[in-house]
Amino acid sequence: MNEQRRTGSADSTAGSRHVGFFVTCLVDLFRPSVGFAAIALLEKAGCRVAVPNAQVCCGQPAYNAGDRRDAQAIARNVIAAFETFPYVVAPSGSCTGMIREHYPKLFAEDPDMRGRAEDLAGRTWELMSFLVDVLGVTDTDAPAFPRKVTYHDSCSGYRELGIKAQPRLLLAGVPEMELAEISQPEVCCGFGGTFCVKYPDISNKMVTDKAEDIAGTGAGTVLGGDLGCLLNIAGKLKRMGATVEARHVAEVLAGMADRPGIGDSEG
Amino acid sequence: MQPTSHAFVENARDALANPKLHRALLNMKAGFQGKRAKAVAGLPEFEQLRERAKAVKDHTLAHLDTYLERFEAKATASGAQVHWARTGEEACDIIHGICQRRGAQTVTKGKSMVAEEIGLNAYLEARGLNPVETDLGEYIIQLRHELPSHIIAPAIHLNKEEVADAFYDAHKDLPPDRPLSEPRELLEEARGVLRRIFLASEVGITGANFMIAETGTTVIVTNEGNGDLTQVLPKVHVAVASIDKVIPTLEDATLILRLLARSATGQEQSTYTTFSTGPRRHDDPDGPEEFHIVIVDNGRSALLGTEAQETLRCIRCGACINHCPIYAAVGGHSYGWVVPGPIGAALDPGLIGLAEAHHLPNASSFCGRCESVCPMKIPLPSIMRHWRNAGFEAGLGAPSFRYGIRGWAWAARRPWLYRVGARLGRWSLRLLARGKGRLTAAPLANGWTKWRDLPAPQAGGTFHDQWRARQRGAGGPGGAGAGA
Ligand code: SF4
C-alpha cells in the first residue's frame, strides 16, 4: 500500500479482449447505471464483456470484520466465477484492491487456492486503470459535460492500486468540463465499508470534513471511482443541504450522466 | 493508570463534542503533515533509507536475544549497570530500588513512552518520591494528571489557556497577575520552576530511542535539551528502554536517525541527539556517577513470531498518528492508553490485551495512509486486521454486528438467494424513499442515517436483473462464460 503507482503494460491490440465484469454489490443494488456505463466504456474500447451470474460481492465486509472463514467462502465463489476470463474489471478500487491485494493473503495457508487467487489477482483491474494502463485509452470521446467538477480519490484505489492520474487523463478529454481539485484529496471520506456504521460518529466527522472540502471548490459535481465513498459523500452533501451532485466517473466518461445524481430525486 | 480503551466509543463521543480539541488537532495535523512532506521531498533517497531501516530492524528482531546480550556485555564493560525487567511492575521496582538506595527524594524525568506505559510516576509517587517531568509537554500533562495524547507531542490536545491554568493551579508562588498568555511566557515559567528542580534532583530518568549493541550506548533524541540536563546533572542516570529499542551498530543508528526526525517533525535532525556510553569517567567534565539501564519486556517478546511482530520495528516518530484521520477526529485520549493512533491500534492489543483494546484495531477505515508514511514500513492495517481476526474468533465485539456479518455472508455465498434479498432490499428502500431519491431514516440503518441521508436505489431493477433482461431481449450470448 505504498503511495506509488502500479502501471500495467499498455496494449493497443484490444480488439479481442474478453472481459469478465465484476459488478460489485453496491452497483448491483444502488446504481446499476454505473455498471452499464462501465460496460459501454469497455465495449467502446474494443472489449467483449460478459457478466458471470455466479458473482455477488468480493467479500470485503466479512474480511474487514475479521470473519476470515466467510470471506474465504465468498472469495472461492468469485475465483471460480471468473476463472476463464483473461481480464476481470470492476468499477471500484476497493473491490479490485480486495481481489488483487487481499485474496492471495486470504489463502496464505492453502497453496492450491492461493495459486488460483494469485492468478485472478494478476488478471483483475480497476476500470480506470484497465482503460488507461492496459488498453492505452487516452480519450473516451465523451460528450460535453458543461460543469465544474471535483474528484474524490478513494483510498484503496489511490494507495493500493496507484490510481490517480488515470481518471484525470480521461476526464481531461471531456469537452466543456472544468476540474477543480479539493484541498485534501488523499484523506479518507470516512466510508470504510462497515466502519461507517460501526463507528458512525467518527465517520461523520470525516465525511463532514470531506463534504465541506468538496463544497468549498465551488464544483457542481463530485466524481469518484468507488460507489461506497460516493454514497457516503452524497448522503452527507444531501443532509447538509448542499446542491453538489455525486456521480461515478464512468457515467460522465460514457456519456450516461443524464440520470439524476446519487441520492437525487428522480421525479 | 488503568486503560480505558474498552470505552473507546464513549471516549470518542466526548472528544468529538469538544471544539477546542478539534482546533488543537487541526493545527497539529497541518503543521506536522506539511513539514514531513517537505523534509521527505528534500531527501531523494528516503525510500531506500526506509527499506534499509526496515531490513536492519527485521534482522535485529530475528536475533533479538543475541543483540540484547551483546548490548548488555558492552554496556557493562563501559561501566553501566544493566537490569532486566519482565514486566512494568518489575521495572518500576528496580528503578524505585535505585532511587531508594541513593536516598533520592526528587527525581527528574526526560520524556519516555515506556515510563508512561509502565506507570512509573504513579509507582514512585505512591512510595513517597517526587518524580518531575522535564519535557514541557510531559510536565504539563503531569500537572493535569493526564496520559500523553500523542507520542511526540504529549500535550497537543491543549491550548495555551489550558496550559496557563495548569500553571496557575500548580505553581503556588505564581502571582495571579503574572501574564501567561504567550507561549514564550509559558515556557519561561516552566523553565524557572524546572531549573530549581534540576538542581535538586538526585536521580535522572530518561528513555532511550536506541540501544546500540556494538558499543553499549543508549541514545536520546530531544528538542528541548531537557533530556541532557536530566541525564547529566544528577549523580545517577537511569535509562529505561523496551527490548525492541536495541539495534546492532552505530551506523544503524545514524541510518534510522535520518528517518526519525524527518518523519516526526520534518526536521533533518532533532536539536539534540545524545549518545551515552557508561557513567562519568575520571577525566570527563560532567556526567553521572552511576549509569543504570533498565531493559523492559512487558509483553513484547510474546509478539515475536506473530503477525504483530512488525510493530516492534516502530521508532515512535508519530508520523502514522499525524496522518491518521481517525486520530484527527478523536484525539489521543480516546484510545484510552499510552500509545494512540494507528501504531496504538496495532500495538496496544498485544500489550494490554485484546479484550481491553479490541475497539482500537476495529476503529479504522483501512485508508492505509499510516502505512504509506511509516518510515519503518510497518503494515499497520494488516496488523489491525490480524487483531480483528483474533477478535472475531474470540467472540469480541457487538453480537448484532457479528450475527449481521455472518447472516449477510451466508446469503452472499448463495447468489440466487442473494439476488432475491437484493430485489427485496431494493424494493423496500425505494418504497421508503417515496420518490425523493434518498431516505433520512431506514430500519437497521441507524448508524448511517443518523448523520447522512441514504441514497435510494435507482429505478429499473438491480443491475443483474436488468442485465439478464437485456440479454434475453437481445437473444444474445452476453452471459456467455457465466456460471449458472
Ligand atoms: S508505526 Fe511507523 S509511523 Fe507510526 S510511530 Fe511507529 S515508526 Fe512512526
Side-chain angles (χ1 to χ4, degrees):
Chain A
M1 283 213 263
N2 294 318
E3 300 197 3
Q4 60 180 213
R5 185 173 159 198
R6 181 202 302 279
T7 44
S9 51
D11 185 345
S12 52
T13 58
S16 59
R17 298 275 161 248
H18 194 199
V19 169
F21 186 66
F22 186 72
V23 180
T24 81
C25 55
L26 291 178
V27 166
D28 178 48
L29 178 64
F30 284 99
R31 206 156 171 86
S33 63
V34 173
F36 290 110
I39 290 173
L41 287 168
L42 290 168
E43 287 178 340
K44 198 167 186 180
C47 300
R48 226 161 15 98
V49 182
V51 182
N53 212 356
Q55 60 173 308
V56 170
C57 167
C58 65
Q60 209 173 158
Y63 183 57
N64 284 353
D67 181 0
R68 257 176 99 80
R69 243 171 319 202
D70 277 324
Q72 283 166 343
I74 295 169
R76 270 199 190 88
N77 281 357
V78 175
I79 291 168
F82 288 93
E83 202 111 61
T84 59
F85 295 95
Y87 295 102
V88 177
V89 175
S92 157
S94 174
C95 313
T96 304
M98 176 69 188
I99 296 175
R100 281 194 75 119
E101 305 292 319
H102 298 284
Y103 273 18
K105 290 185 204 158
L106 202 45
F107 295 105
E109 296 94 33
D110 180 343
D112 176 47
M113 275 311 296
R114 193 198 159 111
R116 291 171 66 195
E118 277 169 353
D119 181 60
L120 175 63
R123 291 181 280 120
T124 303
W125 298 89
E126 184 275 344
L127 177 67
M128 294 297 116
S129 164
F130 183 70
L131 290 172
V132 174
D133 300 332
V134 180
L135 300 182
V137 173
T138 53
D139 195 333
T140 61
D141 275 333
F145 192 66
R147 294 184 80 118
K148 184 168 173 181
V149 308
T150 187
Y151 197 86
H152 170 65
D153 296 291
S154 66
C155 296
S156 334
Y158 174 57
R159 271 180 283 268
E160 285 189 332
L161 307 170
I163 295 163
K164 185 165 180 100
Q166 300 89 326
R168 287 171 176 77
L169 172 77
L170 297 181
L171 284 171
V174 179
E176 293 172 49
M177 196 201 77
E178 182 198 341
L179 179 68
E181 298 285 358
I182 58 175
S183 71
Q184 305 258 324
E186 274 134 58
V187 176
C188 178
C189 72
F191 174 63
T194 51
F195 166 78
C196 69
V197 287
K198 251 168 44 180
Y199 297 95
D201 300 343
I202 302 173
S203 171
N204 174 50
K205 168 79 176 122
M206 293 160 75
V207 72
T208 303
D209 291 351
K210 183 59 71 182
E212 283 169 359
D213 199 353
I214 289 168
T217 62
T221 304
V222 53
L223 300 175
D226 268 272
L227 191 54
C229 312
L230 289 168
L231 289 166
N232 183 39
I233 291 170
K236 189 70 211 182
L237 286 166
K238 301 296 150 198
R239 181 65 60 95
M240 281 166 41
T243 52
V244 189
E245 59 159 32
R247 297 184 178 280
H248 194 283
V249 60
E251 300 174 40
V252 172
L253 292 178
M256 293 166 72
D258 45 347
R259 306 279 299 252
I262 298 168
D264 288 329
S265 148
E266 286 158 348
Chain B
M1 216 173 273
Q2 283 303 310
T4 62
S5 308
H6 59 274
F8 175 80
V9 172
E10 294 75 24
N11 297 345
R13 194 171 302 147
D14 293 346
L16 284 163
N18 181 346
K20 261 199 295 202
L21 174 65
H22 276 121
R23 268 194 300 279
L25 291 172
L26 202 66
N27 292 338
M28 171 218 74
K29 197 171 66 167
F32 280 142
Q33 289 182 5
K35 286 179 188 150
R36 176 200 173 269
K38 226 166 129 194
V40 169
L43 188 68
E45 66 268 38
F46 191 77
E47 273 314 305
Q48 280 119 286
L49 295 181
R50 279 174 93 191
E51 284 298 344
R52 281 173 49 204
K54 171 181 186 295
V56 164
K57 273 286 216 176
D58 281 343
H59 166 82
T60 315
L61 291 171
H63 306 279
L64 193 56
D65 48 351
T66 310
Y67 284 113
L68 284 170
E69 281 174 1
R70 191 171 297 169
F71 174 81
E72 179 185 31
K74 286 291 180 180
T76 310
S78 70
Q81 300 175 50
V82 176
H83 310 259
W84 299 93
R86 268 175 301 241
T87 63
E89 173 101 21
E90 272 182 32
C92 288
D93 189 53
I94 291 165
I95 296 168
H96 176 237
I98 296 167
C99 296
Q100 230 179 4
R101 193 167 44 71
R102 298 293 307 211
Q105 250 312 302
T106 295
V107 302
T108 36
K109 278 192 64 216
K111 185 173 159 344
S112 158
M113 289 310 293
V114 73
E116 291 283 356
E117 174 188 322
I118 65 179
L120 182 60
N121 284 351
Y123 191 96
L124 296 178
E125 275 164 14
R127 284 153 189 81
L129 274 75
N130 177 29
V132 182
E133 296 288 351
T134 63
D135 171 272
L136 182 59
E138 287 283 345
Y139 178 66
I140 295 164
I141 62 162
Q142 186 185 24
L143 293 182
R144 290 173 50 99
H145 308 286
E146 286 179 318
L147 279 177
S149 69
H150 189 295
I151 60 179
I152 67 164
I156 198 79
H157 56 290
L158 300 172
N159 60 29
K160 52 184 198 296
E161 288 72 33
E162 288 166 309
V163 175
D165 286 346
F167 286 180
Y168 285 124
D169 279 352
H171 299 170
K172 295 294 174 232
D173 51 355
L174 185 64
D177 54 353
R178 161 91 183 265
L180 286 182
S181 54
E182 290 308 314
R184 187 86 236 153
E185 292 161 350
L186 291 167
L187 192 64
E188 285 308 325
E189 169 60 20
R191 270 205 182 131
V193 172
L194 287 174
R195 198 161 293 147
R196 292 195 293 277
I197 293 170
F198 270 126
L199 294 172
S201 162
E202 191 67 21
V203 175
I205 303 170
T206 67
N209 290 83
F210 310 104
M211 297 186 282
I212 302 170
E214 173 181 53
T215 54
T217 303
T218 63
V219 183
I220 60 165
V221 174
T222 66
N223 274 326
E224 295 169 12
N226 66 300
D228 297 274
L229 293 178
T230 304
Q231 64 180 36
V232 166
L233 287 180
K235 294 207 170 66
V236 180
H237 172 203
V238 179
V240 51
S242 53
I243 55 170
D244 49 312
K245 295 292 165 202
V246 71
I247 50 171
T249 66
L250 277 166
E251 204 177 319
D252 296 331
T254 58
L255 163 69
I256 297 176
L257 280 168
R258 295 185 71 196
L259 292 167
L260 177 57
R262 286 181 170 88
S263 301
T265 51
Q267 294 163 286
E268 290 182 4
Q269 281 287 307
S270 299
T271 316
Y272 302 92
T273 304
T274 309
F275 292 70
S276 305
T277 314
R280 176 181 194 164
R281 286 157 298 202
H282 69 273
D283 52 350
D284 283 347
D286 53 25
E289 291 166 13
E290 287 179 31
F291 180 28
H292 297 266
I293 303 163
V294 182
I295 303 176
V296 193
D297 180 359
N298 207 29
R300 286 168 178 76
S301 57
L303 302 179
L304 292 170
T306 73
E307 284 181 63
Q309 167 171 319
E310 294 185 74
T311 55
L312 301 180
R313 281 206 302 270
C314 176
I315 55 173
R316 300 288 188 276
C317 71
C320 57
I321 299 175
N322 298 339
H323 291 77
C324 176
I326 314 290
Y327 178 92
V330 305
H333 286 155
S334 297
Y335 292 78
W337 186 232
V338 178
V339 183
I343 179 61
L347 179 65
D348 294 349
L351 298 186
I352 58 175
L354 189 53
E356 172 68 38
H358 82 271
H359 272 302
L360 310 189
N362 276 287
S364 162
S365 61
F366 279 159
C367 80
R369 212 170 173 212
C370 49
E371 181 177 1
S372 75
V373 296
C374 173
M376 303 306 288
K377 300 193 76 131
I378 301 172
L380 294 154
S382 303
I383 299 168
M384 291 180 217
R385 186 186 301 288
H386 156 72
W387 293 119
R388 290 191 190 184
N389 292 345
F392 199 87
E393 288 273 309
L396 297 169
S400 55
F401 179 71
R402 300 169 50 79
Y403 291 122
I405 284 288
R406 297 236 53 192
W408 168 86
W410 189 82
R413 289 155 62 177
R414 294 164 177 78
W416 60 272
L417 179 74
Y418 185 89
R419 301 260 188 276
V420 176
R423 260 174 231 144
L424 218 90
R426 192 187 153 276
W427 179 81
S428 10
L429 286 175
R430 284 187 57 80
L431 196 75
L432 290 165
R434 280 181 268 134
K436 286 204 293 290
R438 56 184 180 269
L439 297 82
T440 49
L444 302 176
N446 258 340
W448 183 285
T449 54
K450 178 176 176 192
W451 295 114
R452 64 216 121 187
D453 292 352
L454 179 63
Q458 255 175 352
T462 66
F463 177 87
H464 285 288
D465 284 348
Q466 293 189 51
W467 177 258
R468 302 298 148 211
R470 285 188 196 197
Q471 295 310 309
R472 277 194 302 275

